[in-house]
Amino acid sequence: MNELMSQAVDLMIAGMGFVFAFLVILVFATTLMSKLILRFAPPEPVTPASTQRAKPKAPASVDPDTAEAIKKAIAKYRSRHKK
C-alpha cells in the first residue's frame, strides 16, 4: 500500500510539472508572438478626428397621455425589478 501511494505521488508531481512547464512555454510563446506582430505588422491607418454629429431634434412637446403612459410603464418596471 505504501509503495502504491509513493507511485501515485510521483505520478502526480510529474503530471503537475509537465503542466506547469507547458504553461510557462505557452506564456513565453504568446509574448514572443505579440512582440513579433507589433514589430512587423503594418501601422494602422490614421483616422481623422470624429466630427460632432447634429443631434436629432426631439418634438417640442409630448402628448400628456403618452407621457402618463410612459411614467406608468417605468413605475411598473421598477416595481418588478427592485434590487
Side-chain angles (χ1 to χ4, degrees):
M1 182 71 181
N2 195 12
E3 184 179 330
L4 187 62
M5 287 300 288
S6 174
Q7 288 177 347
V9 170
D10 289 343
L11 184 61
M12 179 187 67
I13 290 172
M16 291 174 68
F18 282 121
V19 169
F20 180 76
F22 174 76
L23 291 175
V24 168
I25 292 169
L26 184 66
V27 167
F28 284 121
T30 54
T31 304
L32 177 67
M33 285 189 294
S34 176
K35 288 181 181 178
L36 288 173
I37 293 292
L38 290 175
R39 185 177 207 175
F40 295 115
E44 291 184 20
V46 178
T47 57
S50 63
T51 57
Q52 229 173 353
R53 291 186 267 166
K55 294 182 180 178
K57 292 186 178 181
S61 64
V62 177
D63 181 33
D65 292 334
T66 305
E68 190 63 32
I70 292 171
K71 287 179 187 176
K72 286 181 181 179
I74 291 172
K76 190 171 188 177
Y77 176 83
R78 287 182 177 167
S79 68
R80 287 185 179 175
H81 294 92
K82 284 187 179 180
K83 287 187 176 181

